[in-house]
Amino acid sequence: MKYVESKEARYVTFSKRKAGLFRKAEEFSTVTGADVGVLFFSPSGKPCSYTSTSVEKIIGKFREWKQQNTDEGKSSVFEAFDDLCKYKQDENEKGKSRELRYKVMYPGVEIPPDKERLEKLVEMKLRLDKINEAAKNHIQAERLKFDLNIVPEYEVGESSGTHH
């Protein structure tokens, strides 16, 4: 397979392949029941997409999954915790900005609760619980390694501490 040099041939190939890709995505969704989304831009920059449900729903599910699984690939619980702290700081700054905008736009009116922010706080709490559990497991594993490292090793034929 190689790049199609001719611009006209490339556009024809794009159109045919796009239709085939969308047909396969639809078949995959129908056969498996999976939510499927294909999103790309044409060579001219026009967005093209096929989704078995709304793009927003698929992107939302993907973001939710990614958020829940972000910390599992981290090399240490400390790195995951640092990332969560940065995320919290960003969310706090967004919250302050929202409050400031609201105070400017509606002076003297009580600021309503931000439901999206509350949901993100719950997500952060769940992530923190995962990190906390990983930290406990990591510490227990390190303790076990330490305990095993201090057990004396006996040579064959060496006394085991009993006297005859």
Side-chain angles (χ1 to χ4, degrees), residues 58-115:
I58 289 177
I59 291 172
K61 284 177 84 170
F62 181 77
R63 282 185 176 156
E64 181 181 315
W65 177 86
K66 191 173 180 182
Q67 190 77 45
Q68 291 172 353
N69 295 285
T70 314
D71 302 322
E72 291 178 14
K74 300 294 180 190
S75 61
S76 76
V77 293
F78 303 110
E79 185 180 333
F81 183 74
D82 285 345
D83 288 351
L84 182 60
C85 287
K86 288 176 190 168
Y87 178 75
K88 180 183 174 282
Q89 186 176 13
D90 290 345
E91 288 302 314
N92 284 342
E93 288 173 16
K94 287 178 189 175
K96 287 176 186 175
S97 176
R98 175 188 175 270
E99 289 175 8
L100 182 62
R101 280 192 318 269
Y102 203 91
K103 285 179 182 178
V104 169
M105 292 175 68
Y106 309 102
V109 177
E110 186 177 330
I111 301 170
D114 184 354
K115 292 178 184 175

Side-chain angles (χ1 to χ4, degrees), residues 147-159:
D147 290 345
L148 292 175
N149 286 335
I150 62 169
V151 173
E153 294 181 20
Y154 292 102
E155 300 272 333
V156 177
E158 204 177 284
S159 171

